[in-house]
Amino acid sequence: MPLTGPRLPARSGTARQLVVFLHGYGADGNDLIGIGQQWQDYLPDTAFAAPHAPQPCTMGAGRQWFALTMRDHAERWNGVQAAGPGVDEFLDAELARHGLDDSQLALVGFSQGSMLALHVGLRRKRAPAAVIAYSGTLEGVEHLKETLVRPPLLLVHGDQDEVVPVEALFDAANGFGAAGIPAQWHLSHGIGHGIDQQGLTHGLLFLAEAFKVRIG
């Protein structure tokens, strides 16, 4: 069944870019679409979409992209591989709906959604304009050299994250570096498993640069 979720049309009336949010475990698309509402003033030609993950959580409420215990790398690698095609299908449909292509697409993930954003973003047929991963992990580091596209990457993490330890940011940055894939990163001091205003500002500026949009 195709993914669906909340959408925001471009404030200008004409979408020249598309940002797709991928939410975390136990949430749904409504959890992140509010970021799009904050960014609309600065990215008026950007449409936003936040699909709901396809599965109900196996533990607790909300949705999941795949079952997750966080204790098993193989589980997470198999999970992003299984969930990836559904996200690709959604991206293809949204881009077609707006008459856009991957060069005008950005993926923004949080936690489990970040795992998926990084996985899918590096494996599209054409590189997206940007991928932003908040509080996530890089899965399948040993497979990075098999990827064909190199979108601009931004990793953002709280240094007090109690769910996904901050070491995940440095592991990802080192993995990308070893594979020759440039990645920027930002550490939010005093922040747990969430996104602070500074992290949102870094994300917005990163998108503006990727979309070649002047802010201010």
Side-chain angles (χ1 to χ4, degrees), residues 8-111:
L8 295 173
R11 180 157 288 178
S12 69
T14 301
R16 294 184 171 87
Q17 300 95 25
L18 171 67
V19 171
V20 174
F21 296 105
L22 300 177
H23 65 78
Y25 183 90
D28 64 21
N30 296 303
D31 189 54
L32 296 182
I33 198 66
I35 297 175
Q37 293 170 333
Q38 293 185 49
W39 287 349
Q40 275 187 316
D41 288 341
Y42 306 97
L43 302 172
D45 297 327
T46 301
F48 299 87
H52 305 309
Q55 305 171 5
C57 275
T58 50
M59 296 184 292
R63 312 292 296 177
Q64 64 182 29
W65 298 101
F66 52 90
L68 185 62
T69 66
M70 289 302 296
R71 292 188 292 270
D72 189 337
H73 287 289
E75 170 197 65
R76 299 197 295 274
W77 171 244
N78 291 336
V80 293
Q81 285 188 297
V87 173
D88 273 322
E89 181 181 344
F90 179 85
L91 297 177
D92 291 341
E94 287 296 294
L95 289 170
R97 196 163 71 87
H98 292 290
L100 304 174
D101 61 38
D102 279 80
S103 69
Q104 299 153 305
L105 167 70
L107 298 176
V108 180
F110 175 74
S111 195

Side-chain angles (χ1 to χ4, degrees), residues 66 72-83 115 119 123 138-144 146-147:
F66 52 90
D72 189 337
H73 287 289
E75 170 197 65
R76 299 197 295 274
W77 171 244
N78 291 336
V80 293
Q81 285 188 297
M115 302 177 198
H119 180 78
R123 290 165 176 83
L138 169 63
E139 301 306 324
V141 63
E142 66 275 18
H143 300 287
L144 279 179
E146 302 166 10
T147 61

Side-chain angles (χ1 to χ4, degrees), residues 88-177:
D88 273 322
E89 181 181 344
F90 179 85
L91 297 177
D92 291 341
E94 287 296 294
L95 289 170
R97 196 163 71 87
H98 292 290
L100 304 174
D101 61 38
D102 279 80
S103 69
Q104 299 153 305
L105 167 70
L107 298 176
V108 180
F110 175 74
S111 195
Q112 190 183 52
S114 286
M115 302 177 198
L116 203 50
L118 292 172
H119 180 78
V120 170
L122 288 162
R123 290 165 176 83
R124 297 283 292 171
K125 292 179 181 178
R126 183 176 180 183
V131 177
I132 302 176
Y134 288 102
S135 306
T137 64
L138 169 63
E139 301 306 324
V141 63
E142 66 275 18
H143 300 287
L144 279 179
K145 293 187 177 180
E146 302 166 10
T147 61
L148 299 177
V149 298
R150 300 288 185 268
L153 303 173
L154 174 64
L155 312 174
V156 182
H157 218 108
D159 68 350
Q160 301 299 312
D161 196 322
E162 69 286 4
V163 177
V164 181
V166 67
E167 286 77 16
L169 180 147
F170 301 111
D171 290 343
N174 290 334
F176 285 128

